[in-house]
Amino acid sequence: MSNQPIEVIFPPETAAEIGGASIIKGGANPEGAGKFIDFLLSKEAQAVKTELGHTYPVRDDVKPPEGVPPLSAIQLVKYDRQFAIANRARLTKKWEDEIGSKR
């Protein structure tokens, strides 16, 4: 089974996840936190994250992983954040009623 071809496929109207990092207001080491954010956004760190994590970089000067389409070619599902916020309780209850699982 070794050396089998692998193809990356993105279904139409797919979702995306955006990893995030932030500095906590009033944290113990705001200077160190700022330096860490700067490191995360550096070309070197983005290249490692992209290569080892097989994720899209946030920098234009770091190439995306080999074999994936350009981010501009991916069609994301339309997401209405205000609808989701306004209907969260109702939709969560419907999920729990139909799936039968609660956290």
Side-chain angles (χ1 to χ4, degrees), residues 24-92:
I24 298 172
K25 184 178 180 179
N29 186 356
E31 183 180 341
K35 288 180 181 180
F36 182 66
I37 296 293
D38 290 343
F39 165 73
L40 290 176
L41 297 174
S42 71
K43 185 175 181 178
E44 177 185 23
Q46 285 292 303
V48 169
K49 175 189 156 296
T50 299
E51 181 183 342
L52 299 179
H54 207 70
T55 60
Y56 287 100
V58 297
R59 295 179 58 109
D60 291 337
D61 58 350
V62 176
K63 291 182 182 179
E66 188 176 330
V68 299
L71 195 54
S72 60
I74 297 174
Q75 180 184 358
L76 298 177
V77 67
K78 290 183 173 117
Y79 180 74
D80 185 339
R81 181 176 303 279
Q82 292 307 315
F83 173 87
I85 292 168
N87 291 278
R88 179 178 179 183
R90 179 182 65 80
L91 295 172
T92 300

